[in-house]
């Protein structure tokens, strides 16, 4: 389970950011579940023909044979989408990172964060691995994204937010 922002709370983020005249930057983590620690209980994956084909293309010096090697297993060293623990592990992992930079989840919606970063008030709305960051300057949002990336999370800076979680976002110098 990975919590998702509810639409009223997401709209509240945009309303607050607009009321405070914030610039809203979008960001997206890729392969989020794989970027957090592995499951606590050791987990193994039995290799199949597709894996052997992939391996043989990349390692011609050490070929595998399905008839001989189909019994082999691989240790899973990252969380994978579909594992029951993956969503909660990602949520904990990204929550710790956001707390490190002084952002705190709100009491009743753990996907909305607020705080101060680089002496600037910041609002963050998270939808699993997608983010919108409200800040007075795009540089502050860029610094937050860079911090997250510096903690080993692959994150793409999408710049000025135009769409988030199915919601079209229009930002001008007079309104959001």
């Amino acid at each position: 389970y990975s919590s998702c922002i509810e639409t009223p709370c997401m709209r509240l983020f945009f309303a607050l950011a607009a009321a405070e005249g914030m610039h809203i930057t979008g960001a997206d983590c890729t392969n989020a579940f794989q970027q957090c620690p592995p499951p606590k209980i050791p987990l193994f994956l039995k290799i199949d023909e597709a894996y052997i084909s992939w391996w043989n293309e990349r390692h011609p010096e050490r070929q595998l044979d399905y008839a001989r090697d189909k019994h082999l297993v691989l240790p899973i060293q990252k969380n994978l989408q579909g594992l029951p623990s993956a969503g909660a592990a990602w949520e904990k992992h990204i929550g710790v990172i956001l707390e490190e930079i002084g952002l705190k989840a709100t009491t009743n919606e753990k996907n909305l964060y607020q705080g101060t970063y680089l002496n600037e008030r910041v609002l963050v709305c998270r939808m699993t691995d997608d983010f919108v960051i409200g800040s007075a300057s795009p540089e502050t949002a860029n610094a937050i994204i860079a911090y997250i990336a510096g903690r080993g999370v692959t994150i793409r800076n999408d710049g000025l937010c135009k769409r988030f979680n199915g919601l079209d976002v229009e930002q001008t110098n007079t309104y959001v």
Side-chain angles (χ1 to χ4, degrees):
Y1 162 75
S2 182
S3 67
C4 299
I5 189 80
E6 293 184 13
T7 301
C9 297
M10 179 180 67
R11 290 180 180 269
L12 178 62
F13 163 84
F14 284 105
L16 289 170
E20 295 188 28
M22 293 180 161
H23 176 277
I24 302 169
T25 301
D28 180 25
C29 296
T30 54
N31 297 319
F33 297 149
Q34 294 178 17
Q35 299 185 51
C36 49
K40 291 181 181 178
I41 298 171
L43 182 64
F44 297 88
L45 179 71
K46 184 176 176 182
I47 67 172
D48 59 9
E49 289 182 70
Y51 178 84
I52 289 176
S53 175
W54 172 86
W55 174 271
N56 289 342
E57 284 180 26
R58 283 158 184 78
H59 303 281
E61 75 285 356
R62 188 169 168 235
Q63 295 286 298
L64 295 175
D65 176 75
Y66 183 71
R68 179 190 71 218
D69 300 320
K70 63 184 176 185
H71 68 283
L72 297 176
V73 295
L74 301 169
I76 302 299
Q77 298 176 351
K78 298 285 185 178
N79 255 301
L80 299 174
Q81 187 169 345
L83 288 178
S85 62
W90 165 250
E91 190 159 318
K92 181 178 180 184
H93 183 65
I94 197 63
V96 166
I97 293 171
L98 293 173
E99 285 178 11
E100 287 173 359
I101 59 176
L103 300 178
K104 184 177 178 189
T106 58
T107 302
N108 295 313
E109 176 51 72
K110 59 184 170 179
N111 294 294
L112 290 178
Y113 301 82
Q114 64 176 339
T116 302
Y117 190 68
L118 300 178
N119 297 318
E120 191 175 306
R121 178 163 158 71
V122 175
L123 301 173
V124 174
C125 177
R126 183 177 61 82
M127 175 62 175
T128 308
D129 62 348
D130 298 324
F131 296 81
V132 279
I133 303 166
S135 56
S137 67
E139 291 78 22
T140 300
N142 294 342
I144 290 171
I145 294 166
Y147 183 90
I148 293 169
R151 291 283 276 110
V153 174
T154 305
I155 186 169
R156 182 183 69 236
N157 186 333
D158 292 335
L160 185 71
C161 179
K162 295 182 179 172
R163 187 165 179 80
F164 182 72
N165 197 29
L167 182 70
D168 292 327
V169 180
E170 183 178 357
Q171 297 184 66
T172 72
N173 63 347
T174 55
Y175 66 86
V176 174

